[in-house]
Amino acid sequence: MKQVQDSPISIIIVSGRSGSGKTSVLNILEDFGYYVIDNLPPSLLAGAVARLTDDTNIRKIALGVDVRVPGADLSNFPTVHEELIRQYGESAIKVLYVTADEPVLVARFGATRRVHPLMANGTVGNLPKAIHNEIELLEPIAQLADIKINTSLLNTHELKERVRDHLGVETKVTVNLLSFGFKYGTPIDADFVFDVRILPNPHWDETLRAQTGEDESVKAFFGQYPEVDAMADDIAEFLGKWLPNFLHNNRHSLTIAIGCTGGKHRSVYVTRGVEDRLAKLLPDEMMIKTKHREKRYWCC
């Protein structure tokens, strides 16, 4: 068996009926940290996995296979599957097969006005026949499926939770704390924006102007004003109460922007204060990262 040097290898082969949500599943797996390759002929699977694991040390790989590849490749899937298991171990290989009821598939193709792959390549001339032929072509993969998901009654969020449950993926959310200066523009990707320009400003003290909210003398300045720490308390209390709900809302990251005029003193100090407080309030599944957007201007 192939020796794994670092973390265990996880290889998920995703297949299923056209219109059932295979692409959505691959997108979900990408969110879960998998390196995704779609529309890969089965005959190339083993070689692709070897290159990725050996040359780049990638350990989480999702491979999409469907009827767009030659039929001979699909019929040979059991042999390829057996070779992958021999190389990486049975626990490393999973086949995830998505399907949907025929009326649902017909409705989806009608709504999106997409052409079924078997119609696009001229194999069959109408949608019902294409749907039935596809079942036969994918049978070698369906027979080996470790996970089967019928998406007929699932929306995107429910599908994500179903995939998460099957794979045992832990829910994690990155909380990005960002200090910024309003004079350089409000961050357009922020989920929450807090304005701390109401607080006392050390900029007007010439001995502090060149320093930042991370310097001890500026911290001492803010220590004279109870409202500064009170502001950090209030922001952290609000975020500590509501952010954990995003663990169940299919979000992987959030950006909390805290701004003052120049992004050098007040926003920096308060952002650090909020970071310290949230580290005690948020669950372990939420990781905090802090960045000071205007740091490039601090020298001036």
Side-chain angles (χ1 to χ4, degrees):
M1 183 183 300
K2 194 178 186 69
Q3 295 298 313
V4 179
Q5 297 176 349
D6 301 314
S7 58
I9 292 176
S10 174
I11 302 164
I12 301 178
I13 300 168
V14 181
S15 189
R17 303 171 70 179
S18 301
S20 63
K22 182 179 69 69
T23 300
S24 295
V25 170
L26 289 172
N27 290 336
I28 289 168
L29 291 174
E30 192 168 35
D31 288 342
F32 291 162
Y34 281 80
Y35 186 92
V36 174
I37 303 177
D38 194 13
N39 193 23
L40 194 66
S43 60
L44 300 180
L45 292 182
V49 170
R51 288 292 299 274
L52 290 172
T53 56
D54 294 343
D55 296 350
T56 63
N57 204 33
I58 291 174
R59 288 293 183 255
K60 298 172 69 175
I61 303 168
L63 305 166
V65 178
D66 57 43
V67 293
R68 289 174 291 176
V69 306
D73 258 1
L74 292 175
S75 63
N76 194 46
F77 181 80
T79 301
V80 175
H81 181 256
E82 184 178 346
E83 172 63 16
L84 288 171
I85 290 177
R86 188 184 70 80
Q87 288 290 321
Y88 301 97
E90 189 170 359
S91 62
I93 311 299
K94 282 186 170 60
V95 178
L96 192 159
Y97 188 87
V98 287
T99 186
D101 299 337
E102 184 172 335
V104 174
L105 293 176
V106 172
R108 288 176 181 174
F109 275 104
T112 61
R113 298 186 180 181
R114 291 180 55 224
V115 178
H116 193 283
L118 295 181
M119 296 172 63
N121 64 21
T123 305
V124 295
N126 60 71
L127 183 57
K129 187 175 181 180
I131 290 174
H132 285 286
N133 284 10
E134 185 177 42
I135 295 175
E136 297 178 8
L137 290 170
L138 293 176
E139 187 61 19
I141 301 178
Q143 287 289 339
L144 293 170
D146 302 287
I147 303 166
K148 287 188 176 181
I149 300 177
N150 188 314
T151 66
S152 297
L153 301 177
L154 301 179
N155 60 35
T156 302
H157 298 311
E158 292 167 335
L159 176 59
K160 191 167 192 175
E161 287 304 311
R162 189 71 60 86
V163 173
R164 187 196 304 276
D165 291 342
H166 278 295
L167 298 180
V169 176
E170 294 183 4
T171 303
K172 291 186 180 295
V173 175
T174 299
V175 177
N176 299 296
L177 294 179
L178 179 71
S179 72
F180 74 97
F182 277 97
K183 74 176 184 178
Y184 302 110
T186 305
I188 62 174
D189 58 344
D191 297 287
F192 298 88
V193 177
F194 294 94
D195 185 347
V196 297
R197 287 176 292 185
I198 196 174
L199 298 176
N201 190 356
H203 173 82
W204 303 115
D205 185 331
E206 291 187 2
T207 65
L208 300 177
R209 186 169 299 173
Q211 300 186 50
T212 76
E214 294 194 320
D215 291 315
E216 293 303 322
S217 54
V218 174
K219 293 178 183 178
F221 170 87
F222 286 130
Q224 304 173 67
Y225 301 94
E227 62 266 36
V228 178
D229 281 337
M231 175 77 82
D233 288 338
D234 288 345
I235 294 174
E237 182 180 359
F238 171 80
L239 295 174
K241 178 179 180 179
W242 294 108
L243 290 189
N245 289 284
F246 286 96
L247 286 168
H248 313 290
N249 198 40
N250 292 296
R251 291 290 297 272
H252 294 277
S253 66
L254 296 162
T255 297
I256 317 299
I258 300 174
C260 62
T261 303
K264 186 174 182 179
H265 297 111
R266 292 168 291 180
S267 63
V268 172
Y269 179 83
V270 173
T271 297
R272 285 299 186 191
V274 171
E275 177 187 21
D276 293 340
R277 290 162 173 78
L278 287 182
K280 302 173 183 177
L281 295 173
L282 294 180
D284 293 339
E285 295 84 359
M286 305 194 85
M287 180 175 62
I288 303 171
K289 292 184 177 180
T290 298
K291 179 180 179 181
H292 304 301
R293 193 186 72 175
E294 320 306 356
K295 195 170 186 177
R296 62 190 182 277
Y297 300 119
W298 286 2
C299 63
C300 306

